[in-house]
Structure formats: C-alpha cells, structure tokens
Amino acid sequence: MRKTLIASGLFFLLFFYGLILSQSQFAVISEELEPKNPEMFYDYKGVSNVHTARGLGSGSYEDIIEAALETNLDFIAFTDLNPFVGPPVPEGYHRDLLVIKGAEYSYLDARLLVFDVDNRHSFETLGQTQTLLADLLSQSGPEADKDLILLAHPTKPGYEWSEQFPSGLDGIEVINLKSIWRQAWENSKFSFIWSTMVYPFNSPLALIRLYEEPQTELSMWDSLSLKRHTVGIAGSDATAKTSPVSGEFLRFPSYQTSFSMLSNHVLLRSELTGEAAGDTKKILGALSSGNFYMSLDVLGDPKGFVAYIRDDEKIYPMGSRVKWVKGMKMIVKLPQKPNTPFEAAFLKDGQHVMSSNSVDTEYIINGPGVYRVTVRVFLSLTLPDGNRWYTWLYTNPFYLD
C-alpha cells in the first residue's frame, strides 16, 4: 500500500511538473498579428545550412519546405554535403517561400558553404571541386564577389580551419546550432539528457536551456573583421536526425523546431518582387554584403529591429564600409520594449564601448573602427535552470575607415 502511494505521488508530481513545463513561456516581447517592417527597410527572415535525406538529413525537399512555410520563413537555403548526385534542388518560390540552392563541400579538413550566384561553375566530382574551390578562395576583388563562400562550424572538432584565412572566403558561421548542442552534450551529459526529457513537453525550452554563447566563434569573427570585411552568419545545420545507437536515428530536433529557434534577418531597402531569379540574387547579395542580423527567434520575433549609420541624410546599412566623418551616428531601434530586463551593447573592434536600456538609441561614433551591436535579454526559466542572460540579436559589423 505504501509503495503504491509513493508511486502515485511521484506520478502526479511528474504530471504537474510536465504541465508546468508545457505552459512555460519566455518570449521577451508580446506577439503581434502582423509585425511591421523597420523604418526604411524590409525584413526578410530565412535559414541556411539545411540538409535533406539526400545527404546528412532525414527529410525530403517537400517535407522541409512545408516545415519552413509553417515557421513563416521567407527564404531557405539547402546545403547538402557534396551533392554530386541526386535530384536537383527545387529552386524558386513555393507559395511565399523562396528556395535557394547552395551546397556544403568538404575542403581540406574543413567544410565550406558555397552559393554559386550565377551558376557559373560545375561541381561534379570531389576532386574537381577541390581544385575549383582552391581557385575561388584565392581570388579577390570583383571576381571574388560573384560567389558567396562561408566557413561552416569553424570550431567543430576535426573540421577546424588550420590555414590562413584566404581572401576569397566571405565569412564564417558564427552560430551553428548543431555545434552548440554537441558542445552542450560534452559539457554536461546529464543536462543534455534532461533536455531530451523536457523536449516532448516544451521543445523550445528544451533547446534554449542548452544554448551557450559561441565565444570562440565571436572572437574569431571580430579578429577577421579587423583585417577585412567578414560576414557572420547563423546556421541551423538542420538535419532532424539524431543517432542514439548505430544504424538507427530519431527525428530530433524536428526541422520546424530548428527553424523556429534561429534565423538570419536580411534588411533590404526595397521589397522582393516575386520573381525568383532576381530575388535570389537580391538575398544572396545582401548576405554577401552583411546586410542582415542574426536572431534567436525563439526568444521573440524581432521584426522591426534595425541598426544603421546616419551621416546627415545618408543611410548606411549593416555591412557597409564607409569613411568616418565627425558627427556620424549609429541608430539602433527595437521593435518594442522587451518585457524583461534588456540591453543593447555597442562594440568597437570587438570591445564593449557602451550599453543602452532604451528602445531607440543614437550612438555618436567618435572615430574609425569596426562596430557591431548585440541585444541581450534576461530570462527566468523553469526550475532547475533559474535566471540568466541570453543574446537575442547580433548585427553584422559596420566598417568605418
């Protein structure tokens, strides 16, 4: 009888804890039916580094596109590993979703995300691709600007870039979700297992509690940005495939969960037209130029956020390289005031120079340098996690000579 009472008590305790988990909310801003674009810009949300069953993933193009539509993405970039055979990527518009063709290629000991903007190159075999990538990475100037080449998960064990960063490399994955979750497993297997137990009740909570700031990647990005224009991008590395035992896998986390967690928000000065080829070039051009910010969307929809530099009547978006003149200001605006403590942190050459607790901030730029902004929020998570700061938004840098 006593054992039955104890078992019943534990069952109801776990039941109510699961109920609490399922109701746990941590959005930092109130949801709007139709979030507005920021002033003078159009915000388009998308994800990169997405894998299908053709490569490292578990889903078909059709299934993944449906997941992207359900997550209200504006664009998605497929990047299967070494995709020399198999069905072609279904490029173009699928309802309101723009599908972009890319690929992840093995190069030396690293992995590169490659977007052949004008379909100028022929990637047919691994040997041919190695030679072609070596040539593309050595280029600089206008020729290098015709392709977008990014270093994937730059600190992943076994895939680190050990050479000098070449002139043709456009940027790095500053945030790679799979790398962050893998590091969480290495840091605390108990915490990771706890998240797998939380996942059925509240998948966003299960994954956000594992998120840690990618300090090494951020330091690498800041160091590279001091030398030349370097794009920082967020990669989902979405596969919906986890292998707890050899030969078997679980569809965890789902594509939809990965897409709702993290994205890149491209800020354009004019709207997309609905013409696939032209819009693809426009999105890839903005990514190449760094005209976007990275966002942990699971913390709240940031649409309406904007950061730009103003010089008299001239406006310069993120990623711009301009000559510094006295009186320049960086303008940062949040879509609304977060319902939790927050701060916008201004960094120059990777070092913190100012913080603001205002929704709208004007920062007077006192000299040349590489400037970027992060927005942090303070979250209270369900026990046993407690309170901690998270970086919600990361802008690409402004380069002032």
Side-chain angles (χ1 to χ4, degrees), residues 64-80:
I64 298 170
I65 287 171
E66 191 61 37
L69 286 165
E70 291 176 4
T71 321
N72 295 318
L73 296 182
D74 297 303
F75 66 92
I76 183 174
F78 285 106
T79 54
D80 275 315

Side-chain angles (χ1 to χ4, degrees), residues 139-146 167:
Q139 295 178 1
S140 60
E143 282 302 309
D145 293 339
K146 293 181 180 179
S167 57

